[in-house]
Amino acid sequence: MTAPASSPAAAAPATGDKPPAIRLPAVHLILSDPGCQPLIEQYGRVQTTDAARALLAELRAMLLAARRDDGAGAPASTATAGFEASVARSSAAAGAPPEIAGLLVMLAERLQQANRSHLRAVFNLTGTVLHTNLGRALLPDSAVQAVAEALRWPMNLEWDIDTGTRGDRDNLVEELLLELTGAEAATIVNNNAAAVLLMLNTLALGREVIVSRGELVEIGGAFRIPDVMTRAGAVLREVGSTNRTHLKDYAEAAGPQTALMMKVHCSNYEITGFTKSVELPELAPLARQHNIATAVDLGSGTLVDLEQYGLPHETTVRETIAAGADLVTFSGDKLLGGPQCGIIVGRADLIAQIKKNPLKRALRVGKLTLAALEPVLALYRAPDLLPERLTTLKLLTRPASAMRAQAQAILAPLQAALGAAYAVSAEPMTSQIGSGALPVDQLPSFGLAIRPTGKASNALGKLEQRLRALPLPVIGRVAHDALWLDLRCLNDAQQEKFVAQLQQLQQTMQAPLPAQGRA
Ligand SMILES: *Cc1c(COP(=O)(O)O)cnc(C)c1O
């Protein structure tokens, strides 16, 4: 930004003591200009007028400040730098007000910026398929269409079409869930954290829940089993040690004060070495002897054996029910591949109690979630077709050769866009499933590694920032002095958009870095 701090408009010769007025067009002149009409049509007269006023006020303040500096060339602040350049561009002659056309360009930019959605599509090239910060599972088209329809139409959300009477929203997916898990009953809430909270609050309010010390999990984003337990009004009874818990530890802790024996999936960590944990087939019979229910927080909660698709084994919900769990809680948007929700399945009498808890009303899901969930669950009726149809599984089972072909196709245009300051190469890398599913398992993948060629300071950080500033931000991973773009989650349609956007990247490589922070 090398525009002079003092624009010609501000540097007009003074007459007498009083400096000349800053000459800017009146708001009504801008609004009545034919060039403003499309803006008024798109954004409305109120918003356009307000934005024009704000623009003129800032412009005036800036011109005044520039005059105070008396053309001394005070350094432009980042906030006003672009602004000044525009003023300089649009000031046709000394003393002339910035042209209306120039102001309209600035006005359009501002309105567009202010109306840009904060929730935006990005390229997930992090290599983490179920990335919590990027919204976890992507849904199949059948679910997308069902959600669109539910947005446009009234739905029988709580209406039994057969009887013409009030229905229960859980019933819309319960039958499918029972079929897929072998459980007696099911209920749906906002997410798995809510499922655990609701289950504990219903069944263990003021009573003890026995959990192994090795399973006191913290999931990213402040979900900790001990904290949820407290908030649910339950009393945590820790047993065993971090690395070893035996059946007798559970047996000794059980008593009249015990409401539940609970097992928690160690989603995002693994304890190895000298370890011992009590598995459900051992624990459930002990709990039953004491007339205590067993609950399992399965976390990811997969509905099929993933080994049949060449992925590592993850205990399924059906296996957990079959092994004697009275209740199982799991997420809808992790390995299941559906919308964000928490699913509780298990014994009919316990689910009935949970549904009566007033908290259920506070944690229930809306019609969009149920619209998306049903078609996703329905896909599981054809497990042989699942890798083609369920987006999450499709991404997880993509062979590295597919990503390698993509990497080779993208390499040259990306290198051209980045220029000589960076070297791009196609390299093998490893993806993760993410969201705490199978944390130690890595999936062989392929992608692009970008390394700075020179010694410029923070070249990777700057590149990462430029990629984020694109209309479709590109999110990669910086590690070992390179920026890694794992192509596992880039489908064909997205690849086209990625390549199309490289031209824009090339242009911005020459421009100064965009300002950081929320626009
Ligand atoms: C992910 C997870 C949760 C939280 O589930 P959300 O759907 O993110 O609320 C709870 N427990 C375990 C074991 C998990 O893996």
Side-chain angles (χ1 to χ4, degrees), residues 40-280:
I40 293 172
E41 268 162 36
Q42 185 171 355
Y43 301 107
R45 184 167 289 278
V46 174
Q47 194 183 188
T48 307
T49 309
D50 288 350
R53 278 212 183 92
L55 174 63
L56 288 174
E58 273 181 51
L59 213 42
R60 178 161 298 136
M62 235 180 47
L63 292 173
L64 277 170
R67 181 153 68 191
R68 270 198 303 278
D69 292 337
D70 201 22
S77 79
T78 40
T80 58
F83 218 77
E84 288 184 26
S86 303
V87 174
R89 269 204 307 277
S90 52
S91 295
E99 285 171 358
I100 286 185
L103 286 172
L104 285 175
V105 170
M106 293 159 80
L107 187 59
E109 264 168 32
R110 286 182 156 226
L111 284 165
Q112 192 188 8
Q113 195 71 22
N115 284 277
R116 197 174 65 175
S117 178
H118 288 95
L119 185 63
R120 288 164 62 196
V122 302
F123 288 111
N124 172 12
L125 306 188
T126 60
T128 300
V129 176
L130 297 167
H131 198 301
T132 296
N133 305 138
L134 300 181
R136 290 194 187 158
L138 301 179
L139 275 75
D141 283 347
S142 53
V144 173
Q145 277 154 23
V147 170
E149 180 140 301
L151 283 163
R152 292 198 184 100
W153 278 89
M155 291 273 151
N156 63 325
L157 180 62
E158 291 187 341
W159 189 259
D160 188 326
I161 295 175
D162 293 335
T163 62
T165 55
R166 205 197 140 121
D168 178 337
R169 63 182 70 198
D170 283 338
N171 291 352
L172 298 167
V173 289
E174 188 174 30
E175 205 179 289
L176 250 172
L177 277 169
L178 306 190
E179 185 185 315
L180 296 170
T181 63
E184 290 174 8
T187 185
I188 319 291
V189 287
N190 183 54
N191 53 24
N192 188 33
V196 174
L197 178 76
L198 182 62
M199 176 194 73
L200 291 172
N201 179 263
T202 307
L203 301 173
L205 185 63
R207 301 178 64 206
E208 284 185 6
V209 180
I210 303 177
V211 187
S212 161
R213 286 199 168 91
E215 297 175 11
L216 297 176
V217 180
E218 173 180 315
I219 310 290
F223 175 92
R224 289 171 152 194
I225 287 293
D227 297 347
V228 173
M229 198 76 77
T230 308
R231 286 291 167 153
V235 180
L236 172 63
R237 179 72 187 267
E238 301 174 32
V239 295
S241 62
T242 304
N243 57 331
R244 290 173 70 82
T245 302
H246 306 269
L247 192 63
K248 70 171 175 14
D249 295 324
Y250 287 95
E252 282 163 12
Q257 72 289 351
T258 312
L260 278 176
M261 301 237 189
M262 186 176 178
K263 278 195 66 72
V264 184
H265 190 287
C266 299
S267 295
N268 47 11
Y269 67 102
E270 198 171 76
I271 300 178
T272 56
F274 185 55
T275 66
K276 164 92 178 86
S277 65
V278 179
E279 296 312 314
L280 194 59

Side-chain angles (χ1 to χ4, degrees), residues 489-502:
C489 295
L490 192 73
N491 67 27
D492 292 344
Q494 289 171 358
Q495 181 177 338
E496 238 169 78
K497 292 202 158 139
F498 182 91
V499 172
Q501 194 177 240
L502 290 177

